[in-house]
Amino acid sequence: MNHIALTHIPVIDYSKCIQCGECMAVCPDGVIERNYSSSCAKCMKYCITMKVPCRPDLYIFHYNRCNACGKCIAVCPSGALCWWDNPEAK
């Protein structure tokens, strides 16, 4: 089932994330995965020519599988997860 037209989706404020993994553990659809990559696409594209601050995303959301249940937001101890209104769904 494709849920791409969700009206709101969970997003992470990486400055608040403590990397506890609670969101991954509670997700019923396995939407959230830890990112073990040490680089991001921005770095790979621009690092050769520009100084780009690099901080790869700690977690990856597979929004095509998300059912917007909110369990990840409810369990986050640091308040790093919140709802974001999806303009593509309107």
Side-chain angles (χ1 to χ4, degrees), residues 59-77:
Y59 294 98
I60 299 169
F61 276 77
H62 298 282
Y63 290 112
N64 60 327
R65 298 191 316 240
C66 183
N67 67 11
C69 68
K71 291 180 180 179
C72 57
I73 293 172
V75 75
C76 183

PDB file of all heavy atoms in Angstrom, residues 59-77:
ATOM      1  N   TYR A  59      18.717   9.164  10.724  1.00  0.00           N
ATOM      2  CA  TYR A  59      17.682   8.187  10.427  1.00  0.00           C
ATOM      3  C   TYR A  59      17.088   8.486   9.061  1.00  0.00           C
ATOM      4  O   TYR A  59      17.029   9.632   8.629  1.00  0.00           O
ATOM      5  CB  TYR A  59      16.565   8.225  11.484  1.00  0.00           C
ATOM      6  CG  TYR A  59      17.042   7.797  12.840  1.00  0.00           C
ATOM      7  CD1 TYR A  59      17.392   8.721  13.806  1.00  0.00           C
ATOM      8  CD2 TYR A  59      17.174   6.447  13.142  1.00  0.00           C
ATOM      9  CE1 TYR A  59      17.854   8.319  15.051  1.00  0.00           C
ATOM     10  CE2 TYR A  59      17.629   6.036  14.378  1.00  0.00           C
ATOM     11  CZ  TYR A  59      17.974   6.979  15.328  1.00  0.00           C
ATOM     12  OH  TYR A  59      18.427   6.583  16.548  1.00  0.00           O
ATOM     13  N   ILE A  60      16.626   7.451   8.395  1.00  0.00           N
ATOM     14  CA  ILE A  60      15.994   7.578   7.092  1.00  0.00           C
ATOM     15  C   ILE A  60      14.544   7.134   7.240  1.00  0.00           C
ATOM     16  O   ILE A  60      14.276   6.070   7.790  1.00  0.00           O
ATOM     17  CB  ILE A  60      16.705   6.692   6.050  1.00  0.00           C
ATOM     18  CG1 ILE A  60      18.159   7.119   5.893  1.00  0.00           C
ATOM     19  CG2 ILE A  60      15.969   6.749   4.717  1.00  0.00           C
ATOM     20  CD1 ILE A  60      18.988   6.137   5.081  1.00  0.00           C
ATOM     21  N   PHE A  61      13.618   7.951   6.751  1.00  0.00           N
ATOM     22  CA  PHE A  61      12.198   7.617   6.755  1.00  0.00           C
ATOM     23  C   PHE A  61      11.801   7.147   5.362  1.00  0.00           C
ATOM     24  O   PHE A  61      12.087   7.821   4.378  1.00  0.00           O
ATOM     25  CB  PHE A  61      11.343   8.835   7.116  1.00  0.00           C
ATOM     26  CG  PHE A  61      11.203   9.071   8.590  1.00  0.00           C
ATOM     27  CD1 PHE A  61      12.234   9.636   9.314  1.00  0.00           C
ATOM     28  CD2 PHE A  61      10.040   8.734   9.246  1.00  0.00           C
ATOM     29  CE1 PHE A  61      12.106   9.862  10.665  1.00  0.00           C
ATOM     30  CE2 PHE A  61       9.900   8.949  10.605  1.00  0.00           C
ATOM     31  CZ  PHE A  61      10.939   9.515  11.317  1.00  0.00           C
ATOM     32  N   HIS A  62      11.131   6.031   5.284  1.00  0.00           N
ATOM     33  CA  HIS A  62      10.580   5.529   4.028  1.00  0.00           C
ATOM     34  C   HIS A  62       9.103   5.915   4.021  1.00  0.00           C
ATOM     35  O   HIS A  62       8.239   5.136   4.411  1.00  0.00           O
ATOM     36  CB  HIS A  62      10.771   4.010   3.911  1.00  0.00           C
ATOM     37  CG  HIS A  62      12.207   3.618   3.892  1.00  0.00           C
ATOM     38  ND1 HIS A  62      12.986   3.756   2.765  1.00  0.00           N
ATOM     39  CD2 HIS A  62      13.021   3.133   4.861  1.00  0.00           C
ATOM     40  CE1 HIS A  62      14.218   3.348   3.027  1.00  0.00           C
ATOM     41  NE2 HIS A  62      14.257   2.979   4.299  1.00  0.00           N
ATOM     42  N   TYR A  63       8.842   7.140   3.590  1.00  0.00           N
ATOM     43  CA  TYR A  63       7.485   7.691   3.678  1.00  0.00           C
ATOM     44  C   TYR A  63       6.470   6.946   2.826  1.00  0.00           C
ATOM     45  O   TYR A  63       5.282   7.003   3.100  1.00  0.00           O
ATOM     46  CB  TYR A  63       7.496   9.177   3.320  1.00  0.00           C
ATOM     47  CG  TYR A  63       8.181  10.005   4.371  1.00  0.00           C
ATOM     48  CD1 TYR A  63       9.384  10.635   4.116  1.00  0.00           C
ATOM     49  CD2 TYR A  63       7.609  10.144   5.634  1.00  0.00           C
ATOM     50  CE1 TYR A  63      10.015  11.392   5.086  1.00  0.00           C
ATOM     51  CE2 TYR A  63       8.237  10.888   6.612  1.00  0.00           C
ATOM     52  CZ  TYR A  63       9.435  11.520   6.330  1.00  0.00           C
ATOM     53  OH  TYR A  63      10.056  12.263   7.298  1.00  0.00           O
ATOM     54  N   ASN A  64       6.924   6.231   1.816  1.00  0.00           N
ATOM     55  CA  ASN A  64       5.981   5.469   0.991  1.00  0.00           C
ATOM     56  C   ASN A  64       5.340   4.321   1.774  1.00  0.00           C
ATOM     57  O   ASN A  64       4.335   3.775   1.354  1.00  0.00           O
ATOM     58  CB  ASN A  64       6.656   4.946  -0.270  1.00  0.00           C
ATOM     59  CG  ASN A  64       7.826   4.036   0.025  1.00  0.00           C
ATOM     60  OD1 ASN A  64       8.529   4.219   1.020  1.00  0.00           O
ATOM     61  ND2 ASN A  64       8.059   3.067  -0.821  1.00  0.00           N
ATOM     62  N   ARG A  65       5.914   3.974   2.943  1.00  0.00           N
ATOM     63  CA  ARG A  65       5.336   2.918   3.785  1.00  0.00           C
ATOM     64  C   ARG A  65       4.690   3.469   5.057  1.00  0.00           C
ATOM     65  O   ARG A  65       4.090   2.729   5.824  1.00  0.00           O
ATOM     66  CB  ARG A  65       6.426   1.912   4.175  1.00  0.00           C
ATOM     67  CG  ARG A  65       7.042   1.198   3.015  1.00  0.00           C
ATOM     68  CD  ARG A  65       7.912   0.027   3.425  1.00  0.00           C
ATOM     69  NE  ARG A  65       8.802   0.256   4.522  1.00  0.00           N
ATOM     70  CZ  ARG A  65      10.136   0.151   4.466  1.00  0.00           C
ATOM     71  NH1 ARG A  65      10.725  -0.167   3.332  1.00  0.00           N
ATOM     72  NH2 ARG A  65      10.873   0.345   5.534  1.00  0.00           N
ATOM     73  N   CYS A  66       4.819   4.766   5.300  1.00  0.00           N
ATOM     74  CA  CYS A  66       4.329   5.374   6.538  1.00  0.00           C
ATOM     75  C   CYS A  66       2.805   5.448   6.545  1.00  0.00           C
ATOM     76  O   CYS A  66       2.190   5.827   5.554  1.00  0.00           O
ATOM     77  CB  CYS A  66       4.913   6.780   6.687  1.00  0.00           C
ATOM     78  SG  CYS A  66       4.455   7.620   8.219  1.00  0.00           S
ATOM     79  N   ASN A  67       2.200   5.100   7.690  1.00  0.00           N
ATOM     80  CA  ASN A  67       0.745   5.207   7.811  1.00  0.00           C
ATOM     81  C   ASN A  67       0.342   6.377   8.714  1.00  0.00           C
ATOM     82  O   ASN A  67      -0.815   6.514   9.074  1.00  0.00           O
ATOM     83  CB  ASN A  67       0.134   3.897   8.312  1.00  0.00           C
ATOM     84  CG  ASN A  67       0.521   3.574   9.739  1.00  0.00           C
ATOM     85  OD1 ASN A  67       1.073   4.402  10.454  1.00  0.00           O
ATOM     86  ND2 ASN A  67       0.243   2.357  10.168  1.00  0.00           N
ATOM     87  N   ALA A  68       1.297   7.211   9.092  1.00  0.00           N
ATOM     88  CA  ALA A  68       1.068   8.401   9.911  1.00  0.00           C
ATOM     89  C   ALA A  68       0.376   8.087  11.232  1.00  0.00           C
ATOM     90  O   ALA A  68      -0.487   8.818  11.683  1.00  0.00           O
ATOM     91  CB  ALA A  68       0.291   9.457   9.127  1.00  0.00           C
ATOM     92  N   CYS A  69       0.780   6.995  11.868  1.00  0.00           N
ATOM     93  CA  CYS A  69       0.165   6.604  13.138  1.00  0.00           C
ATOM     94  C   CYS A  69       0.608   7.501  14.300  1.00  0.00           C
ATOM     95  O   CYS A  69      -0.086   7.600  15.298  1.00  0.00           O
ATOM     96  CB  CYS A  69       0.465   5.145  13.446  1.00  0.00           C
ATOM     97  SG  CYS A  69       2.199   4.782  13.807  1.00  0.00           S
ATOM     98  N   GLY A  70       1.785   8.117  14.198  1.00  0.00           N
ATOM     99  CA  GLY A  70       2.266   9.018  15.237  1.00  0.00           C
ATOM    100  C   GLY A  70       2.962   8.345  16.401  1.00  0.00           C
ATOM    101  O   GLY A  70       3.344   9.008  17.367  1.00  0.00           O
ATOM    102  N   LYS A  71       3.136   7.028  16.348  1.00  0.00           N
ATOM    103  CA  LYS A  71       3.781   6.326  17.461  1.00  0.00           C
ATOM    104  C   LYS A  71       5.216   6.791  17.660  1.00  0.00           C
ATOM    105  O   LYS A  71       5.689   6.895  18.787  1.00  0.00           O
ATOM    106  CB  LYS A  71       3.736   4.818  17.234  1.00  0.00           C
ATOM    107  CG  LYS A  71       2.347   4.253  17.348  1.00  0.00           C
ATOM    108  CD  LYS A  71       2.330   2.761  17.123  1.00  0.00           C
ATOM    109  CE  LYS A  71       0.897   2.222  17.235  1.00  0.00           C
ATOM    110  NZ  LYS A  71       0.833   0.786  17.011  1.00  0.00           N
ATOM    111  N   CYS A  72       5.917   7.090  16.579  1.00  0.00           N
ATOM    112  CA  CYS A  72       7.303   7.545  16.682  1.00  0.00           C
ATOM    113  C   CYS A  72       7.376   8.891  17.401  1.00  0.00           C
ATOM    114  O   CYS A  72       8.258   9.119  18.232  1.00  0.00           O
ATOM    115  CB  CYS A  72       7.956   7.625  15.303  1.00  0.00           C
ATOM    116  SG  CYS A  72       7.113   8.700  14.117  1.00  0.00           S
ATOM    117  N   ILE A  73       6.426   9.777  17.104  1.00  0.00           N
ATOM    118  CA  ILE A  73       6.392  11.091  17.734  1.00  0.00           C
ATOM    119  C   ILE A  73       6.082  10.958  19.223  1.00  0.00           C
ATOM    120  O   ILE A  73       6.703  11.596  20.065  1.00  0.00           O
ATOM    121  CB  ILE A  73       5.367  12.003  17.036  1.00  0.00           C
ATOM    122  CG1 ILE A  73       5.852  12.312  15.612  1.00  0.00           C
ATOM    123  CG2 ILE A  73       5.132  13.283  17.826  1.00  0.00           C
ATOM    124  CD1 ILE A  73       4.860  13.042  14.750  1.00  0.00           C
ATOM    125  N   ALA A  74       5.144  10.090  19.547  1.00  0.00           N
ATOM    126  CA  ALA A  74       4.728   9.909  20.943  1.00  0.00           C
ATOM    127  C   ALA A  74       5.842   9.338  21.817  1.00  0.00           C
ATOM    128  O   ALA A  74       5.936   9.677  22.994  1.00  0.00           O
ATOM    129  CB  ALA A  74       3.498   9.009  21.003  1.00  0.00           C
ATOM    130  N   VAL A  75       6.684   8.489  21.250  1.00  0.00           N
ATOM    131  CA  VAL A  75       7.699   7.808  22.053  1.00  0.00           C
ATOM    132  C   VAL A  75       9.021   8.583  22.145  1.00  0.00           C
ATOM    133  O   VAL A  75       9.849   8.291  23.001  1.00  0.00           O
ATOM    134  CB  VAL A  75       7.947   6.380  21.498  1.00  0.00           C
ATOM    135  CG1 VAL A  75       8.763   6.424  20.223  1.00  0.00           C
ATOM    136  CG2 VAL A  75       8.597   5.488  22.535  1.00  0.00           C
ATOM    137  N   CYS A  76       9.216   9.599  21.328  1.00  0.00           N
ATOM    138  CA  CYS A  76      10.496  10.318  21.285  1.00  0.00           C
ATOM    139  C   CYS A  76      10.750  11.073  22.589  1.00  0.00           C
ATOM    140  O   CYS A  76      10.035  12.006  22.926  1.00  0.00           O
ATOM    141  CB  CYS A  76      10.512  11.292  20.108  1.00  0.00           C
ATOM    142  SG  CYS A  76      12.079  12.162  19.943  1.00  0.00           S
ATOM    143  N   PRO A  77      11.804  10.693  23.353  1.00  0.00           N
ATOM    144  CA  PRO A  77      12.045  11.320  24.650  1.00  0.00           C
ATOM    145  C   PRO A  77      12.626  12.731  24.561  1.00  0.00           C
ATOM    146  O   PRO A  77      12.534  13.493  25.522  1.00  0.00           O
ATOM    147  CB  PRO A  77      13.049  10.372  25.318  1.00  0.00           C
ATOM    148  CG  PRO A  77      13.778   9.742  24.182  1.00  0.00           C
ATOM    149  CD  PRO A  77      12.762   9.612  23.078  1.00  0.00           C
TER     150      PRO A  77
END
